[in-house]
mmCIF file of all heavy atoms in Angstrom:
data_model
loop_
_atom_site.group_PDB
_atom_site.id
_atom_site.type_symbol
_atom_site.label_atom_id
_atom_site.label_comp_id
_atom_site.label_asym_id
_atom_site.label_seq_id
_atom_site.Cartn_x
_atom_site.Cartn_y
_atom_site.Cartn_z
ATOM 1 N N GLN A 42 27.592 235.919 -52.629
ATOM 2 C CA GLN A 42 26.361 235.188 -52.956
ATOM 3 C C GLN A 42 25.537 235.839 -54.055
ATOM 4 O O GLN A 42 25.497 237.053 -54.180
ATOM 5 C CB GLN A 42 25.462 235.087 -51.729
ATOM 6 C CG GLN A 42 25.978 234.182 -50.666
ATOM 7 C CD GLN A 42 24.902 233.940 -49.651
ATOM 8 O OE1 GLN A 42 24.014 233.132 -49.867
ATOM 9 N NE2 GLN A 42 24.988 234.623 -48.521
ATOM 10 N N GLN A 43 24.867 234.986 -54.780
ATOM 11 C CA GLN A 43 23.858 235.369 -55.762
ATOM 12 C C GLN A 43 22.527 234.814 -55.264
ATOM 13 O O GLN A 43 22.507 233.912 -54.425
ATOM 14 C CB GLN A 43 24.203 234.776 -57.138
ATOM 15 C CG GLN A 43 25.527 235.254 -57.705
ATOM 16 C CD GLN A 43 25.517 236.740 -57.983
ATOM 17 O OE1 GLN A 43 24.553 237.269 -58.506
ATOM 18 N NE2 GLN A 43 26.594 237.415 -57.620
ATOM 19 N N PRO A 44 21.394 235.316 -55.761
ATOM 20 C CA PRO A 44 20.108 234.768 -55.329
ATOM 21 C C PRO A 44 20.027 233.254 -55.566
ATOM 22 O O PRO A 44 20.625 232.725 -56.490
ATOM 23 C CB PRO A 44 19.100 235.510 -56.213
ATOM 24 C CG PRO A 44 19.777 236.793 -56.539
ATOM 25 C CD PRO A 44 21.237 236.437 -56.685
ATOM 26 N N HIS A 45 19.283 232.591 -54.690
ATOM 27 C CA HIS A 45 19.124 231.145 -54.756
ATOM 28 C C HIS A 45 17.708 230.790 -55.201
ATOM 29 O O HIS A 45 16.774 231.558 -55.005
ATOM 30 C CB HIS A 45 19.373 230.523 -53.379
ATOM 31 C CG HIS A 45 20.693 230.896 -52.786
ATOM 32 N ND1 HIS A 45 21.890 230.398 -53.242
ATOM 33 C CD2 HIS A 45 20.997 231.747 -51.780
ATOM 34 C CE1 HIS A 45 22.868 230.917 -52.534
ATOM 35 N NE2 HIS A 45 22.361 231.740 -51.646
ATOM 36 N N ALA A 46 17.545 229.607 -55.765
ATOM 37 C CA ALA A 46 16.243 229.155 -56.268
ATOM 38 C C ALA A 46 15.326 228.661 -55.152
ATOM 39 O O ALA A 46 14.149 228.431 -55.389
ATOM 40 C CB ALA A 46 16.452 228.048 -57.295
ATOM 41 N N LYS A 47 15.858 228.497 -53.935
ATOM 42 C CA LYS A 47 15.059 228.008 -52.807
ATOM 43 C C LYS A 47 14.986 229.081 -51.716
ATOM 44 O O LYS A 47 15.859 229.941 -51.619
ATOM 45 C CB LYS A 47 15.691 226.752 -52.208
ATOM 46 C CG LYS A 47 15.621 225.546 -53.114
ATOM 47 C CD LYS A 47 16.153 224.340 -52.375
ATOM 48 C CE LYS A 47 15.925 223.072 -53.164
ATOM 49 N NZ LYS A 47 16.237 221.885 -52.360
ATOM 50 N N ASP A 48 13.945 228.998 -50.884
ATOM 51 C CA ASP A 48 13.899 229.806 -49.669
ATOM 52 C C ASP A 48 15.053 229.367 -48.778
ATOM 53 O O ASP A 48 15.520 228.225 -48.873
ATOM 54 C CB ASP A 48 12.594 229.576 -48.913
ATOM 55 C CG ASP A 48 11.367 230.094 -49.645
ATOM 56 O OD1 ASP A 48 11.494 231.018 -50.473
ATOM 57 O OD2 ASP A 48 10.274 229.570 -49.377
ATOM 58 N N GLU A 49 15.494 230.279 -47.897
ATOM 59 C CA GLU A 49 16.566 229.887 -46.985
ATOM 60 C C GLU A 49 16.454 230.600 -45.655
ATOM 61 O O GLU A 49 15.903 231.700 -45.555
ATOM 62 C CB GLU A 49 17.946 230.111 -47.593
ATOM 63 C CG GLU A 49 18.276 231.532 -47.933
ATOM 64 C CD GLU A 49 19.570 231.628 -48.714
ATOM 65 O OE1 GLU A 49 20.610 231.145 -48.242
ATOM 66 O OE2 GLU A 49 19.525 232.194 -49.807
ATOM 67 N N ILE A 50 16.970 229.930 -44.651
ATOM 68 C CA ILE A 50 17.060 230.471 -43.307
ATOM 69 C C ILE A 50 18.521 230.409 -42.891
ATOM 70 O O ILE A 50 19.184 229.388 -43.073
ATOM 71 C CB ILE A 50 16.201 229.653 -42.320
ATOM 72 C CG1 ILE A 50 14.721 229.812 -42.668
ATOM 73 C CG2 ILE A 50 16.477 230.080 -40.878
ATOM 74 C CD1 ILE A 50 13.804 228.934 -41.852
ATOM 75 N N TYR A 51 19.011 231.517 -42.362
ATOM 76 C CA TYR A 51 20.337 231.571 -41.757
ATOM 77 C C TYR A 51 20.156 231.580 -40.247
ATOM 78 O O TYR A 51 19.318 232.317 -39.729
ATOM 79 C CB TYR A 51 21.074 232.850 -42.154
ATOM 80 C CG TYR A 51 21.424 232.945 -43.610
ATOM 81 C CD1 TYR A 51 20.631 233.679 -44.489
ATOM 82 C CD2 TYR A 51 22.547 232.308 -44.114
ATOM 83 C CE1 TYR A 51 20.949 233.771 -45.827
ATOM 84 C CE2 TYR A 51 22.872 232.398 -45.457
ATOM 85 C CZ TYR A 51 22.074 233.130 -46.304
ATOM 86 O OH TYR A 51 22.391 233.216 -47.634
ATOM 87 N N VAL A 52 20.945 230.779 -39.550
ATOM 88 C CA VAL A 52 21.020 230.826 -38.095
ATOM 89 C C VAL A 52 22.471 231.171 -37.782
ATOM 90 O O VAL A 52 23.369 230.338 -37.976
ATOM 91 C CB VAL A 52 20.606 229.485 -37.454
ATOM 92 C CG1 VAL A 52 20.676 229.585 -35.944
ATOM 93 C CG2 VAL A 52 19.206 229.071 -37.905
ATOM 94 N N VAL A 53 22.696 232.391 -37.325
ATOM 95 C CA VAL A 53 24.059 232.894 -37.136
ATOM 96 C C VAL A 53 24.701 232.195 -35.934
ATOM 97 O O VAL A 53 24.174 232.252 -34.819
ATOM 98 C CB VAL A 53 24.063 234.429 -36.953
ATOM 99 C CG1 VAL A 53 25.487 234.938 -36.740
ATOM 100 C CG2 VAL A 53 23.413 235.112 -38.154
ATOM 101 N N ILE A 54 25.825 231.548 -36.187
ATOM 102 C CA ILE A 54 26.559 230.818 -35.154
ATOM 103 C C ILE A 54 27.412 231.783 -34.341
ATOM 104 O O ILE A 54 27.396 231.762 -33.116
ATOM 105 C CB ILE A 54 27.452 229.734 -35.786
ATOM 106 C CG1 ILE A 54 26.596 228.691 -36.497
ATOM 107 C CG2 ILE A 54 28.365 229.103 -34.743
ATOM 108 C CD1 ILE A 54 27.378 227.756 -37.406
ATOM 109 N N SER A 55 28.186 232.617 -35.040
ATOM 110 C CA SER A 55 29.058 233.575 -34.358
ATOM 111 C C SER A 55 29.307 234.756 -35.276
ATOM 112 O O SER A 55 29.106 234.685 -36.483
ATOM 113 C CB SER A 55 30.388 232.925 -33.967
ATOM 114 O OG SER A 55 31.099 232.515 -35.113
ATOM 115 N N GLY A 56 29.739 235.849 -34.658
ATOM 116 C CA GLY A 56 30.062 237.051 -35.414
ATOM 117 C C GLY A 56 28.895 238.016 -35.485
ATOM 118 O O GLY A 56 27.818 237.771 -34.933
ATOM 119 N N SER A 57 29.151 239.100 -36.191
ATOM 120 C CA SER A 57 28.149 240.157 -36.350
ATOM 121 C C SER A 57 28.464 240.935 -37.615
ATOM 122 O O SER A 57 29.537 240.791 -38.198
ATOM 123 C CB SER A 57 28.165 241.087 -35.137
ATOM 124 O OG SER A 57 29.448 241.690 -35.010
ATOM 125 N N GLY A 58 27.518 241.774 -38.021
ATOM 126 C CA GLY A 58 27.713 242.586 -39.217
ATOM 127 C C GLY A 58 26.396 243.184 -39.663
ATOM 128 O O GLY A 58 25.471 243.359 -38.871
ATOM 129 N N ILE A 59 26.325 243.460 -40.950
ATOM 130 C CA ILE A 59 25.134 244.010 -41.582
ATOM 131 C C ILE A 59 24.657 242.990 -42.620
ATOM 132 O O ILE A 59 25.471 242.424 -43.348
ATOM 133 C CB ILE A 59 25.435 245.356 -42.278
ATOM 134 C CG1 ILE A 59 26.038 246.363 -41.291
ATOM 135 C CG2 ILE A 59 24.192 245.916 -42.964
ATOM 136 C CD1 ILE A 59 25.098 246.798 -40.187
ATOM 137 N N PHE A 60 23.346 242.781 -42.690
ATOM 138 C CA PHE A 60 22.784 241.876 -43.682
ATOM 139 C C PHE A 60 21.940 242.680 -44.660
ATOM 140 O O PHE A 60 21.106 243.495 -44.240
ATOM 141 C CB PHE A 60 21.916 240.792 -43.030
ATOM 142 C CG PHE A 60 21.469 239.732 -43.981
ATOM 143 C CD1 PHE A 60 22.361 238.793 -44.463
ATOM 144 C CD2 PHE A 60 20.156 239.666 -44.411
ATOM 145 C CE1 PHE A 60 21.960 237.805 -45.353
ATOM 146 C CE2 PHE A 60 19.738 238.681 -45.294
ATOM 147 C CZ PHE A 60 20.643 237.757 -45.755
ATOM 148 N N GLN A 61 22.177 242.467 -45.947
ATOM 149 C CA GLN A 61 21.357 243.079 -46.993
ATOM 150 C C GLN A 61 20.377 242.037 -47.486
ATOM 151 O O GLN A 61 20.774 240.974 -47.970
ATOM 152 C CB GLN A 61 22.217 243.569 -48.140
ATOM 153 C CG GLN A 61 21.410 244.202 -49.250
ATOM 154 C CD GLN A 61 22.282 244.695 -50.383
ATOM 155 O OE1 GLN A 61 23.490 244.753 -50.283
ATOM 156 N NE2 GLN A 61 21.647 245.042 -51.475
ATOM 157 N N ASN A 62 19.086 242.337 -47.365
ATOM 158 C CA ASN A 62 18.018 241.422 -47.749
ATOM 159 C C ASN A 62 17.120 242.186 -48.716
ATOM 160 O O ASN A 62 16.259 242.953 -48.295
ATOM 161 C CB ASN A 62 17.255 240.974 -46.500
ATOM 162 C CG ASN A 62 16.334 239.812 -46.747
ATOM 163 O OD1 ASN A 62 16.033 239.473 -47.885
ATOM 164 N ND2 ASN A 62 15.869 239.199 -45.668
ATOM 165 N N GLY A 63 17.373 242.031 -50.018
ATOM 166 C CA GLY A 63 16.672 242.844 -51.010
ATOM 167 C C GLY A 63 17.089 244.289 -50.822
ATOM 168 O O GLY A 63 18.280 244.602 -50.780
ATOM 169 N N SER A 64 16.131 245.195 -50.639
ATOM 170 C CA SER A 64 16.444 246.618 -50.464
ATOM 171 C C SER A 64 16.664 246.988 -48.999
ATOM 172 O O SER A 64 17.027 248.122 -48.700
ATOM 173 C CB SER A 64 15.320 247.476 -51.049
ATOM 174 O OG SER A 64 14.111 247.211 -50.375
ATOM 175 N N GLU A 65 16.457 246.045 -48.075
ATOM 176 C CA GLU A 65 16.638 246.311 -46.649
ATOM 177 C C GLU A 65 18.050 245.958 -46.195
ATOM 178 O O GLU A 65 18.658 245.036 -46.722
ATOM 179 C CB GLU A 65 15.674 245.475 -45.816
ATOM 180 C CG GLU A 65 14.222 245.812 -45.953
ATOM 181 C CD GLU A 65 13.410 244.926 -45.021
ATOM 182 O OE1 GLU A 65 13.356 245.223 -43.814
ATOM 183 O OE2 GLU A 65 12.878 243.924 -45.531
ATOM 184 N N GLN A 66 18.547 246.697 -45.194
ATOM 185 C CA GLN A 66 19.790 246.352 -44.519
ATOM 186 C C GLN A 66 19.547 246.453 -43.026
ATOM 187 O O GLN A 66 18.879 247.385 -42.565
ATOM 188 C CB GLN A 66 20.924 247.302 -44.915
ATOM 189 C CG GLN A 66 21.438 247.096 -46.297
ATOM 190 C CD GLN A 66 22.697 247.915 -46.568
ATOM 191 O OE1 GLN A 66 23.231 248.578 -45.697
ATOM 192 N NE2 GLN A 66 23.153 247.874 -47.800
ATOM 193 N N TYR A 67 20.067 245.463 -42.274
ATOM 194 C CA TYR A 67 19.913 245.504 -40.828
ATOM 195 C C TYR A 67 21.067 244.754 -40.179
ATOM 196 O O TYR A 67 21.689 243.880 -40.784
ATOM 197 C CB TYR A 67 18.564 244.938 -40.379
ATOM 198 C CG TYR A 67 18.074 243.729 -41.138
ATOM 199 C CD1 TYR A 67 18.504 242.453 -40.822
ATOM 200 C CD2 TYR A 67 17.156 243.873 -42.169
ATOM 201 C CE1 TYR A 67 18.037 241.342 -41.516
ATOM 202 C CE2 TYR A 67 16.687 242.774 -42.873
ATOM 203 C CZ TYR A 67 17.128 241.518 -42.530
ATOM 204 O OH TYR A 67 16.661 240.422 -43.218
ATOM 205 N N PRO A 68 21.368 245.119 -38.913
ATOM 206 C CA PRO A 68 22.459 244.442 -38.215
ATOM 207 C C PRO A 68 22.071 243.010 -37.848
ATOM 208 O O PRO A 68 20.889 242.701 -37.663
ATOM 209 C CB PRO A 68 22.665 245.294 -36.962
ATOM 210 C CG PRO A 68 21.396 246.031 -36.765
ATOM 211 C CD PRO A 68 20.758 246.178 -38.120
ATOM 212 N N PHE A 69 23.087 242.149 -37.731
ATOM 213 C CA PHE A 69 22.878 240.783 -37.248
ATOM 214 C C PHE A 69 23.974 240.452 -36.263
ATOM 215 O O PHE A 69 25.042 241.072 -36.270
ATOM 216 C CB PHE A 69 22.856 239.769 -38.407
ATOM 217 C CG PHE A 69 24.187 239.543 -39.043
ATOM 218 C CD1 PHE A 69 25.076 238.602 -38.528
ATOM 219 C CD2 PHE A 69 24.581 240.279 -40.148
ATOM 220 C CE1 PHE A 69 26.323 238.398 -39.116
ATOM 221 C CE2 PHE A 69 25.817 240.079 -40.741
ATOM 222 C CZ PHE A 69 26.687 239.142 -40.221
ATOM 223 N N GLN A 70 23.710 239.459 -35.428
ATOM 224 C CA GLN A 70 24.697 238.973 -34.461
ATOM 225 C C GLN A 70 24.434 237.499 -34.172
ATOM 226 O O GLN A 70 23.413 236.957 -34.597
ATOM 227 C CB GLN A 70 24.645 239.779 -33.176
ATOM 228 C CG GLN A 70 23.327 239.676 -32.457
ATOM 229 C CD GLN A 70 23.271 240.586 -31.247
ATOM 230 O OE1 GLN A 70 24.155 241.384 -31.003
ATOM 231 N NE2 GLN A 70 22.200 240.465 -30.477
ATOM 232 N N ALA A 71 25.350 236.885 -33.435
ATOM 233 C CA ALA A 71 25.223 235.473 -33.083
ATOM 234 C C ALA A 71 23.872 235.204 -32.444
ATOM 235 O O ALA A 71 23.398 235.976 -31.613
ATOM 236 C CB ALA A 71 26.344 235.072 -32.136
ATOM 237 N N GLY A 72 23.228 234.128 -32.886
ATOM 238 C CA GLY A 72 21.933 233.732 -32.368
ATOM 239 C C GLY A 72 20.760 234.202 -33.203
ATOM 240 O O GLY A 72 19.654 233.697 -33.049
ATOM 241 N N ASP A 73 20.990 235.172 -34.097
ATOM 242 C CA ASP A 73 19.900 235.681 -34.932
ATOM 243 C C ASP A 73 19.501 234.671 -36.001
ATOM 244 O O ASP A 73 20.322 233.875 -36.471
ATOM 245 C CB ASP A 73 20.299 236.985 -35.625
ATOM 246 C CG ASP A 73 20.352 238.167 -34.680
ATOM 247 O OD1 ASP A 73 19.954 238.032 -33.505
ATOM 248 O OD2 ASP A 73 20.808 239.240 -35.124
ATOM 249 N N VAL A 74 18.232 234.734 -36.390
ATOM 250 C CA VAL A 74 17.683 233.933 -37.481
ATOM 251 C C VAL A 74 17.214 234.906 -38.554
ATOM 252 O O VAL A 74 16.516 235.874 -38.257
ATOM 253 C CB VAL A 74 16.498 233.069 -36.993
ATOM 254 C CG1 VAL A 74 15.836 232.349 -38.158
ATOM 255 C CG2 VAL A 74 16.954 232.091 -35.931
ATOM 256 N N VAL A 75 17.624 234.652 -39.801
ATOM 257 C CA VAL A 75 17.279 235.527 -40.928
ATOM 258 C C VAL A 75 16.630 234.672 -42.013
ATOM 259 O O VAL A 75 17.176 233.632 -42.390
ATOM 260 C CB VAL A 75 18.541 236.224 -41.491
ATOM 261 C CG1 VAL A 75 18.200 237.073 -42.692
ATOM 262 C CG2 VAL A 75 19.231 237.052 -40.413
ATOM 263 N N PHE A 76 15.491 235.118 -42.518
ATOM 264 C CA PHE A 76 14.801 234.429 -43.608
ATOM 265 C C PHE A 76 14.978 235.216 -44.898
ATOM 266 O O PHE A 76 14.848 236.437 -44.918
ATOM 267 C CB PHE A 76 13.301 234.302 -43.311
ATOM 268 C CG PHE A 76 12.518 233.806 -44.496
ATOM 269 C CD1 PHE A 76 12.592 232.485 -44.897
ATOM 270 C CD2 PHE A 76 11.724 234.675 -45.230
ATOM 271 C CE1 PHE A 76 11.879 232.022 -46.004
ATOM 272 C CE2 PHE A 76 11.000 234.230 -46.330
ATOM 273 C CZ PHE A 76 11.087 232.906 -46.716
ATOM 274 N N VAL A 77 15.254 234.501 -46.000
ATOM 275 C CA VAL A 77 15.362 235.094 -47.333
ATOM 276 C C VAL A 77 14.518 234.258 -48.289
ATOM 277 O O VAL A 77 14.760 233.057 -48.441
ATOM 278 C CB VAL A 77 16.824 235.114 -47.832
ATOM 279 C CG1 VAL A 77 16.909 235.736 -49.216
ATOM 280 C CG2 VAL A 77 17.728 235.854 -46.860
ATOM 281 N N PRO A 78 13.518 234.878 -48.932
ATOM 282 C CA PRO A 78 12.727 234.112 -49.900
ATOM 283 C C PRO A 78 13.541 233.798 -51.164
ATOM 284 O O PRO A 78 14.515 234.495 -51.475
ATOM 285 C CB PRO A 78 11.548 235.031 -50.216
ATOM 286 C CG PRO A 78 11.983 236.391 -49.834
ATOM 287 C CD PRO A 78 13.044 236.247 -48.783
#
Side-chain angles (χ1 to χ4, degrees):
Q42 290 192 80
Q43 299 296 317
H45 305 287
K47 291 185 172 189
D48 293 335
E49 62 188 304
I50 294 174
Y51 294 99
V52 181
V53 179
I54 297 167
S55 63
S57 60
I59 304 294
F60 188 72
Q61 180 180 349
N62 192 345
S64 61
E65 293 182 80
Q66 287 189 4
Y67 39 83
F69 71 86
Q70 63 185 7
D73 287 353
V74 174
V75 177
F76 171 73
V77 180

